[in-house]
Amino acid sequence: MITIGNLAVLIALIAAVYSIGASVYGGLNRRRDFVASGEHAAYTCHAMVVIATIALVHGLITHDFSLKYVASYSSSTLPLRFRIAALWGGMEGSLLFWALLLTSMTSLVIFQNRERNRILMPFVVATCMTVGAFFLSLLNTVTPPFAQLPFIPAEGSDLNPLLQNYWMQIHPPALYLGYVTWTIPFGFAIAALATGRLDDLWIRTSRRWSLAAWFFLCCGNILGARWAYEVLGWGGYWAWDPVENAAFMPLMTGTAYLHSVMIQERKDMLKVWNMTLIILTFCLTIFGTFLTRSGVISSVHSFTQSGLGPFFLAFLAAVIVFSTILTIRRLPELRPKHQLDSMLSRESAFLFNNLLLVGIAFATFWGTVFPVLSEWVRGVKITVGPPFFNRVNAPLAIALLFLMGVGPLIAWRRSTIDKLARTFLAPSLFGITAGAIAFFAGMRDINAVLVVSFSAFVLYTITLEFHRGAAARVSMVGQNYVSALFTLLTKNQRRYGGYVVHLGVVFIFIGVAMSSIYRVEEMYTVDPGESFSIGPYTLRYDDAVDRSDDHMARMIATLTVFENDEEIATISPEKRFYRKPEQPATEVDFRTTWRDDLYVILGSIDPEKTATFQAYINPLVVWFWIGGFVIIAGTGICIFPVSGARRRERAREAATARTQEHA
Amino acid sequence: MNQQLKFVAGIAIIISTVGFLVYTAVDQTKMYMVTVSEFVTGGNAYAGTTLRIAGRVAEDSMVWDSKTNDLHFTLDDIEGEGTIGVHYTGILPDMFAEGRDVVVEGPYAAGDPFEATTVLTSCPSKYEAEPGDDPNYPDRAASEAIEN
């Protein structure tokens, strides 16, 4: 299997390089045979990567400790599901997994466009294969996944305990898919630049891919947050860690891109901006990989670096230089044919939303690389922590929340003060009332009050949009109200799916604002039988039991939770000690309600069972997760393919809608 | 006013707001990252700032009181000279142990021990060969910051 694996990785690289050459040559000279050959090579590359992946997973499953990777990231007592997940538990495996996802996406896009976009496709393939070739060359040189140890160890050093859980199995694949899928829209952008087909064809063709990429990236971020909440166990879900930021930045620029392409589709404007956004988003996905893989930022002291950093930076620089040159060459053709008509228009709401999103991405980038920058420029290493990110991003995000309410209701092209006053009177009053109620109910934090007020404003506008759409159907088609609401979602997926996503974003705002601003934290050291209280809860520490096995030693504490002298729940946080990496780990436990999460960490426990507990109350944090689900559902509505008949009908409706709006 | 000019003004306002926010936030939240030896030789050059000091927990220096959650230890410079005492109150980070590389965070104060508000631990030595190896093993994760 090892020989097969090594060979497969090598052939995959050769196929990728050949595919780039054949595709570019065929694309430039309109040679169908070369284009086809390039596509076949891409399929071959995919097949080879699949074989290599199977070979590595086989090694992990069968405990082939002669493989360095298997010995480093698994052990004989590691359960099967974690042995498979160990594929993305370490450097070599995750790069291989990355290549697997990328080549799969490439095959999918080639198959999807086998009879379409014949002019663009060679360059899409070439772009994907260039990225693939980069990862495959790393796999062939610096990080060989099938490296063997000179001896066969009796036992592996096991997977990191923090990764031995359910979230670890699904979170990295989602995140990687998010990163990798952006390559496809980027490929179409490069193809548009290379061929000069600069109308909105590339955007329309890659629209579903962009949405899918956004979808996966969103899932990755949310699952990552969940992993942090349940496994890392420090009471929160987001800490502005470099690795989190790495996944967060492309999400912001990608969101900007999804909005601004709508202006290009409608108005034939902002072409350069859209090019910039997609290039930026792609670069940020590579930068994200660089951050997570190189450890350049996170290492605050002299860690041995993995040596991958320079390769990523060189590749990133090449991508930026190449795409910039391509864009500059096409600048005259990318000039807008129209101008923005009015400040009071949906276009301008979108434009400012774009600037805010890119602003958030920039601030996050700046804070993330600041230690490196300050060392270069001033010779001192200065770092910024979560307070920096919260301070900068909170006002920008709140402004964004406000625009989210404005966008859907304001007219395209141009609106007037009168019209705006009429449209926004009710939602504004609703928002102001909600803010006032929150204030008089005792909420004094300005950010919290603004979030409540703007969320109410946005909720009102979204409801209004759904109501208007449904009411129109009721009066025109005679449908009943509820089924009319459902029809909106299936007939005009993009628009109403988008509103559902907005709804989820509002929930996330509420969850984040309330759980971060009004969090309560307490620490107590108690003996069994003693109680302590936090907020409205009283916790009685009942006992601790020993549940050790071969894989780990465990101590589980049991606490009974009382509220108003009534027993409402038991909570059992635990402390583990993994035997292989000889490392302790903390398993938190928490109780979720609509109002708040009671989150308990077993900090330490001594042989006499005296234990230190750290407890948190995270108000309304459940809305963060609900928001995540709603966003995922909304994006699903946008992506889900509609049947041909529906699509034609939708196109007709869109056409009438357009003429109506222009009238 | 000309529409295009209004747009330019609007864009300029947003960009300068972002710039202003970033600038002031850096100014108010920055922490100096130093090694133990830099800290020791730096004297009171760091007065009035918040510091992150990187070092290695000295062998046989750790004193942990599980009743009061007080942690005392000595932090050595990882490569060079220099030693400081550190005191921290809070939950003992999972990966804290003698011989490990840690970062302590706290406001500058003259005298011993350094009062840390946060102790960040890095991966155990077995993972040290390939740090940051894992996308799911972020620096805080690897490190598990326990905030005070």
Side-chain angles (χ1 to χ4, degrees), chain A residues 73 89 160 163 171-172 176 227 232 239 241 243 292-293 300 304 340 381 383 391 525 575 584 586 610 612 614, chain B residues 3-4 7 14 22 28-29 31 33 67 69 91 94 103 127 130-140:
Chain A
Y73 298 103
N160 191 313
L163 307 181
H171 158 227
Y176 285 15
W227 175 69
L232 293 186
D241 177 271
V243 176
T292 49
R293 293 280 128 217
V300 275
T304 342
L340 289 168
K381 217 168 184 184
T383 183
R391 199 182 278 249
T525 302
K575 199 88 190 168
T586 306
T610 301
T612 298
Q614 180 126 15
Chain B
Q3 286 299 335
Q4 300 307 308
F7 274 103
I14 293 196
V22 168
Q28 288 160 5
T29 65
M31 291 175 281
M33 289 159 85
K67 305 280 186 226
N69 293 295
I91 287 184
D94 277 343
V103 173
Y127 296 103
E130 289 159 331
D133 245 1
D134 202 298
N136 312 296
Y137 202 72
D139 130 90
R140 179 219 56 256

Side-chain angles (χ1 to χ4, degrees), chain A residues 294-434:
Chain A
S294 68
V296 119
I297 305 280
S298 54
S299 67
V300 275
H301 40 265
S302 62
F303 268 143
T304 342
Q305 292 188 2
S306 66
L308 269 189
F311 293 97
F312 270 100
L313 282 188
F315 181 65
L316 200 55
V319 171
I320 293 172
V321 168
F322 180 74
S323 1
T324 312
I325 290 173
L326 268 183
T327 313
I328 289 172
R329 236 167 45 94
R330 294 289 182 190
L331 265 189
E333 297 161 68
L334 289 168
R335 287 261 155 70
K337 299 194 179 70
H338 304 277
Q339 286 197 319
L340 289 168
D341 297 298
S342 161
M343 273 299 253
L344 301 175
S345 65
R346 194 177 292 185
E347 287 89 331
S348 86
F350 274 32
L351 183 72
F352 291 119
N353 118 324
N354 264 241
L355 286 173
L356 288 170
L357 284 164
V358 174
I360 291 173
F362 170 77
T364 308
F365 178 79
W366 190 257
T368 310
V369 300
F370 200 77
V372 178
L373 284 184
S374 71
E375 196 169 25
W376 275 353
V377 178
R378 295 178 43 197
V380 277
K381 217 168 184 184
I382 297 174
T383 183
V384 291
F388 166 84
F389 297 99
N390 293 334
R391 199 182 278 249
V392 178
N393 288 340
L396 298 178
I398 289 172
L400 203 57
L401 179 63
F402 174 72
L403 282 181
M404 212 168 75
V406 174
L409 286 194
I410 195 168
W412 287 100
R413 287 197 64 204
R414 143 179 310 136
S415 189
T416 60
I417 303 273
D418 269 3
K419 242 195 214 163
L420 285 184
R422 235 176 304 136
T423 320
F424 285 103
L425 183 65
S428 306
L429 281 178
F430 188 68
I432 292 167
T433 314

Side-chain angles (χ1 to χ4, degrees), chain B residues 36-49:
Chain B
V36 172
S37 72
E38 283 166 342
F39 177 75
V40 172
T41 54
N44 52 9
Y46 299 106
T49 62

Side-chain angles (χ1 to χ4, degrees), chain A residues 111-132:
Chain A
F111 182 73
Q112 179 201 31
N113 291 285
R114 62 198 179 282
E115 280 155 16
R116 293 187 291 164
N117 299 315
R118 294 319 304 164
I119 296 170
L120 292 178
M121 276 314 285
F123 298 97
V124 178
V125 174
T127 310
C128 293
M129 282 296 112
T130 308
V131 182

Side-chain angles (χ1 to χ4, degrees), chain B residues 11-97:
Chain B
I11 292 166
I13 287 172
I14 293 196
I15 292 176
S16 40
T17 307
V18 173
F20 174 77
L21 283 171
V22 168
Y23 182 81
T24 53
V26 165
D27 207 47
Q28 288 160 5
T29 65
K30 68 183 173 194
M31 291 175 281
Y32 287 90
M33 289 159 85
V34 294
T35 62
V36 172
S37 72
E38 283 166 342
F39 177 75
V40 172
T41 54
N44 52 9
Y46 299 106
T49 62
T50 305
L51 288 170
R52 275 191 178 182
I53 308 171
R56 184 166 291 161
V57 182
E59 296 293 343
D60 299 324
S61 76
M62 178 180 161
V63 182
W64 163 249
D65 185 336
S66 66
K67 305 280 186 226
T68 60
N69 293 295
D70 277 312
L71 173 67
H72 286 273
F73 60 95
T74 311
L75 198 63
D76 287 341
D77 194 87
I78 295 168
E79 285 149 2
E81 295 288 301
T83 292
I84 52 166
V86 179
H87 170 243
Y88 164 79
T89 308
I91 287 184
L92 186 68
D94 277 343
M95 278 174 274
F96 186 92

